[in-house]
Amino acid sequence: MALVVQKYGGSSLENADRIKRVAERIVATKKAGNDVVVVCSAMGDTTDELLDLAEQVNPVPPEREMDMLLTAGERISNALVAMAISAHGAEAWSFTGSQAGVVTTAVHGNARIIDVTPSRVTEALAQGYIALVAGFQGVSQDTKDITTLGRGGSDTTAVALAAALGADVCEILSDVDGIYTADPRIVPNARKLDAVPYEEMLELAASGSKILHLRSVEYARRYGVPIRVRSSYSDKPGTTVTGSIEEIPVEQALITGVAHDRSEAKITITGVPDHAGAAARIFRVIADAEIDIDMVLQNVSNTAGRTDITFTLSKANGPKAVAQLEKLKEELDFLTVLYDDQVGKVSLVGAGMRSHPGVTATFCEALAKVGVNIEIINTSEIRISVLIRDAQLDDAVRAIHDAFELGGDEEAVVYAGSGR
Amino acid sequence: MALVVQKYGGSSLENADRIKRVAERIVATKKAGNDVVVVCSAMGDTTDELLDLAEQVNPVPPEREMDMLLTAGERISNALVAMAISAHGAEAWSFTGSQAGVVTTAVHGNARIIDVTPSRVTEALAQGYIALVAGFQGVSQDTKDITTLGRGGSDTTAVALAAALGADVCEILSDVDGIYTADPRIVPNARKLDAVPYEEMLELAASGSKILHLRSVEYARRYGVPIRVRSSYSDKPGTTVTGSIEEIPVEQALITGVAHDRSEAKITITGVPDHAGAAARIFRVIADAEIDIDMVLQNVSNTAGRTDITFTLSKANGPKAVAQLEKLKEELDFLTVLYDDQVGKVSLVGAGMRSHPGVTATFCEALAKVGVNIEIINTSEIRISVLIRDAQLDDAVRAIHDAFELGGDEEAVVYAGSGR
């Protein structure tokens, strides 16, 4: 008998009918002899509706109250799923994140889990109940206020619960049936992967794959929780994320997949006087604005002793970053701040590139062959990423996928969804 | 500086605009120099929408989960009001019933408040915040599960908080601007009362007046909390419920008002053998079904040693009561169970009737004059109630209101609302 944690995303819980189907799935898992804990996101549109209501009463709502408001969504969905389970022949209790012992930092809207003490969940399981736990939320250790966990919060809740309960697996169920060698909507012969080691999944998530959130994969790796990515609409086994690349014999390590990311923009500060401290000043100003930077490129300075500094960041932070840099113009005496939001990032991930020289060459040749120019290149031990024109992203993904022969024979089944 | 508790009902919180107006009202109360605690019901349609969703996934939802589901409604409204307050120049924190220290019995859907320990509310006030508390809910002392308080639960939350905080007043704000000598929609010259003592308000509430719920008035009387019934749309002073009829000099005690009730039905068990224990058996069966009984009438037995027993109950319980009684037919050997849901109750309330003989006579003459037949009569020290045909209720209310000269000179301002 196994202990299974399942997480269902918002589109799998969009209305009463889907909730009933999810309940059937959960009851079947229980009747197969497992202890079952389920984490539900809010129903499809609920969070957006609540955000809209909030904006109507206050364009800049206090964060504490935003967390009180949004957590109502998960409360509703988990209670409804518990009710549906009861109508399908099993019994269930729903719990808020706080009731389930999810203790967090005090940062509203982006709290981190400090600890999970799920005694009420364990008690429910011991009494033969299925336990529902509201995702995306917890209670602050310091203030005892309710907090939300930021992006991917429900995935993180599920993995953290699985770790605390010593679960055998944490299943993430959505409208995709696994992790593919590339986005099947771009690459029709993308192949579903059976298994992916943690480090590769981390790179895929950081490179634009939306199926699993980076934080939940980090958590799973740290505590050794196997994650299974499956469809909530079928019984297919999905993709298992587990194990380390260190456990794979060097000669068997492969190239795993291609990820792409349209969410970044590029900023170039031109004509920066090439003296010690200029770059540090620029990056400190960006960091103080709480903006994360991804890829960086600094050119060799020209004959006038000036250089260009380029970096990428999330489009959402673009305007704020530009504003902060403009304020530095006089102090640093640079020429201009250029903003370019028509860039895209494509990445190749695989432990195999550690032991296969020539991967970088093959990668760049594949792009050159389809006329894609590389603007910035950035690598790790198991990943190559390049910044290109976003209009060329689809071509680039397909070219790399073909060059490394990642495709399968059958056409991928493409759902309307994107992993939510 | 006073400590004011305000409760806003669902129709005062129906949408973002109304929420903003309520927030303005709250901030004005605070800026007048008061400490302010606010209890909000769920927004207008929320509870019904949640009930509808619940029914779609399970026609007989488990009560524990129903409480988890419904309490999301108050969470949403209180967080939104807190946000709106923040946009109007004050600061506010919202709390669930559990966070505010509302401790209850374990009866889901109809929990009773055992204790209120509002330390987080007191702390918020001490820091200059307005405190919002979700109405209609608490946490079970035994199971630590979330509970809801049944009908009038938000009023009860507000009064209980006011008692625990030693508030100067508990204001119940809705879409009516006070308590009237009769329902102004039936009696155009009904007069708004300035003050009503607790015992009379209890009788009015028990007799069909929907403005305040019986339980909250009982709680207020026990702890000496003055209640003020006011409109959320104007600054009019409303009606204050406070004080005892014992404090009113006998010669000043008056007839206060007329209440009516369309929610009851009448059951008659005919041909009951007139022996000891028959009535007891009937009422025990009804009590075991957890059905409350209001008026009772037992006729003198006829020559055949049989009698009819008649009682009234809420229409909602009618079918269940009939079913339970039918099961008794063989055991008790009665003739039939008759069910009549076209009855109505009209009541006259006032401490003055204790010292004014002839009130009953005047009451019955007024009804006779408009051709209303009395089917059952029931009295207390300060109330006369009669059961009549519901089609005649409006005539009866007007006739009694006129007979006791309760009307004022000006036409009552009639809102669309009914005290919610």
Side-chain angles (χ1 to χ4, degrees):
Chain A
M1 191 176 76
L3 173 54
V4 175
V5 175
Q6 293 185 331
K7 175 262 177 176
Y8 290 90
S11 69
S12 303
L13 302 164
E14 201 160 45
N15 52 44
D17 274 338
R18 291 203 179 173
I19 284 178
K20 287 192 278 194
R21 287 169 62 178
V22 160
E24 284 172 5
R25 175 86 178 244
I26 294 168
V27 172
T29 309
K30 168 92 177 129
K31 290 192 165 164
N34 302 295
D35 279 341
V36 185
V37 177
V38 181
V39 173
C40 292
S41 298
M43 289 172 72
D45 291 328
T46 304
T47 306
D48 287 338
E49 287 168 1
L50 292 173
L51 286 169
D52 184 65
L53 267 174
E55 197 180 342
Q56 287 184 57
V57 300
N58 186 337
V60 191
E63 292 178 326
R64 178 197 187 279
E65 299 306 320
M66 185 59 91
D67 278 358
M68 286 294 277
L69 178 70
L70 293 183
T71 48
E74 286 79 28
R75 186 186 201 91
I76 290 169
S77 61
N78 281 277
L80 287 171
V81 173
M83 291 180 182
I85 286 171
S86 178
H88 282 88
E91 289 308 318
W93 282 338
S94 70
F95 300 98
T96 60
S98 170
Q99 290 173 324
V102 178
V103 178
T104 74
T105 61
V107 180
H108 288 292
N110 202 17
R112 302 272 151 166
I113 295 177
I114 292 174
D115 195 12
V116 178
T117 48
S119 45
R120 290 181 78 172
V121 172
T122 308
E123 179 56 32
L125 295 177
Q127 294 197 36
Y129 285 74
I130 294 164
L132 279 302
V133 178
F136 185 55
Q137 55 179 255
V139 61
S140 159
Q141 191 175 58
D142 293 339
T143 65
K144 301 291 180 281
D145 284 334
I146 300 305
T147 54
T148 58
L149 303 178
R151 301 192 56 176
S154 289
D155 289 1
T156 308
T157 299
V159 172
L161 262 173
L165 292 166
D168 296 277
V169 67
C170 178
E171 299 192 329
I172 303 292
L173 297 106
S174 67
D175 48 14
V176 298
D177 63 359
I179 296 161
Y180 281 72
T181 50
D183 188 330
R185 291 169 298 179
I186 298 176
V187 182
N189 71 339
R191 199 173 28 88
K192 184 193 74 76
L193 299 160
D194 291 331
V196 180
Y198 289 119
E199 296 92 337
E200 290 187 1
M201 193 63 232
L202 283 169
E203 293 284 11
L204 287 168
S207 306
S209 167
K210 293 186 180 50
I211 313 274
L212 285 176
H213 287 264
L214 190 64
R215 234 186 334 163
S216 57
V217 183
E218 283 177 343
Y219 210 109
R221 179 176 75 150
R222 195 179 340 147
Y223 292 95
V225 176
I227 297 178
R228 198 182 308 156
V229 177
R230 308 178 71 170
S231 164
S232 54
Y233 301 103
S234 83
D235 272 338
K236 292 185 194 173
T239 303
T240 303
V241 176
T242 191
S244 166
I245 54 174
E246 305 303 333
E247 296 159 8
I248 304 169
V250 165
E251 57 278 8
Q252 286 178 28
L254 300 168
I255 302 301
T256 292
V258 182
H260 69 280
D261 192 341
R262 297 181 200 276
S263 72
E264 296 196 347
K266 183 177 79 167
I267 288 179
T268 301
I269 306 132
T270 69
V272 182
D274 188 22
H275 62 75
R281 189 83 186 91
I282 284 167
F283 293 124
R284 173 55 58 196
V285 158
I286 296 298
D288 285 349
E290 295 192 352
I291 293 170
D292 291 322
I293 286 180
D294 184 18
M295 309 169 89
V296 178
L297 176 69
Q298 179 170 337
N299 292 327
V300 174
S301 63
N302 60 23
T303 47
R306 288 178 178 265
T307 184
D308 294 346
I309 294 176
T310 297
F311 62 88
T312 66
L313 74 171
S314 152
K315 273 179 182 136
N317 289 327
K320 185 159 73 161
V322 169
Q324 293 300 105
L325 291 166
E326 293 283 9
K327 293 181 195 168
L328 277 185
K329 198 167 181 186
E330 194 170 323
E331 174 191 337
L332 289 184
D333 187 35
F334 58 75
L335 248 135
T336 57
V337 177
L338 302 175
Y339 184 71
D340 180 356
D341 66 359
Q342 288 175 344
V343 295
K345 187 168 80 170
V346 60
S347 308
L348 181 74
V349 174
M353 64 180 76
R354 293 185 301 172
S355 49
H356 290 82
V359 168
T360 309
T362 308
F363 184 92
C364 295
E365 282 162 2
L367 291 177
K369 202 181 293 185
V370 290
V372 173
N373 184 47
I374 296 170
E375 303 182 25
I376 306 178
I377 190 166
N378 176 293
T379 63
S380 79
E381 225 191 4
I382 60 170
R383 173 187 51 76
I384 305 168
S385 298
V386 292
L387 198 76
I388 63 176
R389 289 292 99 196
D390 65 358
Q392 295 181 305
L393 257 181
D394 289 6
D395 289 341
V397 169
R398 282 189 281 258
I400 294 163
H401 194 267
D402 286 344
F404 289 91
E405 296 173 354
L406 295 173
D409 300 319
E410 18 182 289
E411 190 114 333
V413 179
V414 180
Y415 295 94
S418 59
R420 292 298 101 227
Chain B
M1 193 176 74
L3 171 54
V4 176
V5 175
Q6 292 185 332
K7 175 259 177 179
Y8 290 90
S11 68
S12 303
L13 302 165
E14 202 161 42
N15 53 44
D17 274 337
R18 292 204 178 173
I19 284 178
K20 287 193 279 194
R21 287 169 62 178
V22 160
E24 284 171 8
R25 175 88 178 242
I26 294 167
V27 172
T29 310
K30 169 95 176 124
K31 289 192 165 164
N34 302 295
D35 278 341
V36 185
V37 177
V38 180
V39 173
C40 290
S41 298
M43 289 171 72
D45 291 327
T46 304
T47 305
D48 286 339
E49 287 168 1
L50 290 173
L51 285 169
D52 182 63
L53 267 174
E55 197 180 341
Q56 287 185 55
V57 301
N58 187 337
V60 191
E63 293 180 325
R64 178 197 187 279
E65 299 306 320
M66 185 59 91
D67 279 358
M68 286 294 278
L69 179 69
L70 295 183
T71 48
E74 287 78 27
R75 186 186 201 93
I76 290 169
S77 61
N78 282 277
L80 287 171
V81 173
M83 291 180 183
I85 287 172
S86 178
H88 282 87
E91 288 310 317
W93 282 339
S94 72
F95 299 98
T96 61
S98 170
Q99 291 174 323
V102 179
V103 178
T104 75
T105 61
V107 180
H108 287 293
N110 201 17
R112 303 272 152 167
I113 295 178
I114 292 173
D115 194 12
V116 179
T117 48
S119 45
R120 291 182 78 173
V121 172
T122 309
E123 179 57 32
L125 295 177
Q127 295 199 36
Y129 283 74
I130 294 164
L132 278 301
V133 177
F136 184 56
Q137 54 179 257
V139 61
S140 159
Q141 191 175 58
D142 294 340
T143 65
K144 301 292 180 281
D145 285 334
I146 300 304
T147 54
T148 58
L149 303 177
R151 300 192 57 176
S154 289
D155 289 2
T156 309
T157 299
V159 173
L161 262 174
L165 292 166
D168 296 277
V169 68
C170 178
E171 298 191 331
I172 303 293
L173 297 109
S174 66
D175 48 13
V176 297
D177 65 358
I179 295 161
Y180 281 73
T181 50
D183 188 331
R185 291 168 298 179
I186 296 176
V187 182
N189 70 337
R191 199 172 29 87
K192 184 193 73 77
L193 299 160
D194 292 331
V196 179
Y198 290 119
E199 296 93 336
E200 291 186 2
M201 192 63 232
L202 283 169
E203 294 283 13
L204 287 168
S207 305
S209 168
K210 294 186 178 54
I211 313 274
L212 286 176
H213 286 263
L214 191 64
R215 232 183 341 161
S216 58
V217 183
E218 283 179 341
Y219 210 109
R221 180 175 73 150
R222 195 180 340 152
Y223 292 96
V225 177
I227 297 178
R228 198 182 309 157
V229 176
R230 311 178 68 172
S231 163
S232 54
Y233 301 102
S234 83
D235 271 337
K236 292 184 194 173
T239 303
T240 302
V241 177
T242 192
S244 166
I245 52 176
E246 304 305 330
E247 296 159 8
I248 303 170
V250 164
E251 57 278 6
Q252 286 179 30
L254 300 168
I255 300 302
T256 291
V258 183
H260 69 280
D261 192 342
R262 296 181 202 275
S263 72
E264 295 198 347
K266 181 177 80 169
I267 288 179
T268 301
I269 306 131
T270 69
V272 183
D274 189 19
H275 61 75
R281 189 83 187 92
I282 285 168
F283 293 123
R284 173 56 58 197
V285 158
I286 296 297
D288 284 350
E290 296 192 353
I291 293 171
D292 290 322
I293 285 179
D294 184 18
M295 310 171 89
V296 177
L297 175 69
Q298 179 169 336
N299 290 327
V300 173
S301 66
N302 61 22
T303 47
R306 289 178 176 264
T307 184
D308 294 347
I309 294 176
T310 297
F311 61 88
T312 65
L313 74 172
S314 150
K315 275 181 180 132
N317 289 327
K320 184 159 72 160
V322 170
Q324 294 300 106
L325 291 167
E326 293 284 7
K327 293 182 194 168
L328 276 185
K329 198 166 181 185
E330 195 167 324
E331 176 193 335
L332 289 186
D333 187 34
F334 59 75
L335 249 136
T336 58
V337 178
L338 302 176
Y339 183 71
D340 180 357
D341 66 1
Q342 288 175 345
V343 294
K345 189 168 80 171
V346 60
S347 307
L348 181 74
V349 174
M353 64 180 76
R354 293 185 302 171
S355 48
H356 290 82
V359 168
T360 309
T362 308
F363 184 92
C364 295
E365 282 162 2
L367 290 177
K369 203 180 294 185
V370 291
V372 174
N373 185 46
I374 295 172
E375 301 181 26
I376 305 178
I377 190 165
N378 176 292
T379 63
S380 79
E381 224 193 5
I382 60 171
R383 172 188 53 77
I384 305 169
S385 297
V386 292
L387 198 75
I388 63 177
R389 289 292 99 196
D390 64 359
Q392 296 181 303
L393 258 181
D394 288 6
D395 288 341
V397 169
R398 282 189 280 259
I400 294 163
H401 194 267
D402 286 345
F404 288 91
E405 295 173 352
L406 295 173
D409 300 320
E410 18 180 289
E411 192 114 333
V413 179
V414 179
Y415 295 94
S418 59
R420 292 298 101 226

